[in-house]
Amino acid sequence: MQTELSKNLGVEHAIFGFTPFPAVAAAISRAGGFGVLGAVRYTAPDDLKRDLDWIEANVDGKPYGLDVVMPAKKVEGVSEADVEAMIPEGHRQFVQETLAKYGVPELAEGEASGWRITGWMEQVARTQLDVAFDYPIRLLANALGSPPADVVARAHEQDVLVAALAGSARHAVKHKEAGIDIVVAQGYEAGGHTGDIASMVLTPEAVEAVDPLPVLAAGGIGSGQQVAAALALGAQGVWLGSIWLTTTEADMHSPALTRKLLAAGSGDTVRSRALTGKPARQLRTEWTDAWDATDGPGTLPMPLQGLLVAEAVSRIQKYEVEPLLGTPVGQIVGRMNSERSVQAVFDDLTRGFERAVDRINRIAGRSGQS
């Protein structure tokens, strides 16, 4: 599964794996793919440094990258406290009432929320970059459009490629104009923030729109046959995220959540604003239903919603309150039926890819004889 892009990066397979777990990122790179560590949860620079040290020691010299979340336009003089003050009291009350309805315990006195949305704020992302650029990362990806121009320039000065996610061909063109090196075309089926266009339509549109820039296909991909389809549509690789959540290297800290993922079908996800304020595909739960109900207060825009629900999400996760327990995940969750190692996932992907290519070759051969 090699393309021009994978050869340029020195990886065996054109499979880019996004994950919040350092052990998964390192295992992806060791297996011949390209591991990309999600940095959004690192609000303390020392924590990111610790995990990048670990990856560097466990990646066997293979390349890897970092994914951050930062807006292209900077808002000056706005602190987290300023943003918190914008949250209506009625929304805070709705959170507390919903948690009380399901008997969700409080955090221990003095215990901080383990999940914060502050990683979505530009000043936090910039501290992450200050750490990351001290390491030999080969790729910097941004999940919220093109990063600021000075970040792109800084990455290029250090010979780091820059990727940005796009949900439409129009977004992809904007990335090209901003000097981005790789466009990740993320279809409607994907987990997390995603747009309205399905991968089968989006991938070739993006490929045509930004040619000759390389495009990675994302969303709804979890088999070798789907990888082959993405390459047939013109992509130079695939960007996979959800499939790694049930690997043995993933540190989910929640057996209940792993069970829910393994039991879920492809129809058990929903695009909801309940987590961050922007449409994000995630497991459908009674928490998402409450926020999406017509008699509820409605969600707030990003980043207000994320700040509002941060402590609630931490409490739900810590105490594994199953009716409310969820996570961002794509429709590919229907294929995630067993816990496997990252290497086992790669073995399945490569075997499926070979079968798909052989099938197409046979079809092409028969067509040539007719």
Side-chain angles (χ1 to χ4, degrees), residues 5 21 26 75 86-87 108-109 152-153 165 210-211 223 226 232 237 244 255 268 291 294 314 323 344 346:
L5 177 61
F21 306 116
V75 179
M86 301 177 190
I87 298 174
E109 185 174 353
V152 176
L165 274 65
V210 302
D211 182 63
S223 72
Q226 291 166 321
W244 316 112
D268 292 327
W291 281 105
T294 56
S314 288
F346 264 85

Side-chain angles (χ1 to χ4, degrees), residues 243 245-248 258 261-263 333-341 345:
I243 198 72
L245 291 175
T246 52
T247 57
T248 53
T258 298
L261 287 169
L262 294 174
V333 70
R335 293 186 62 92
M336 296 156 52
N337 301 317
S338 63
E339 291 187 77
R340 299 178 293 167
S341 68
V345 172

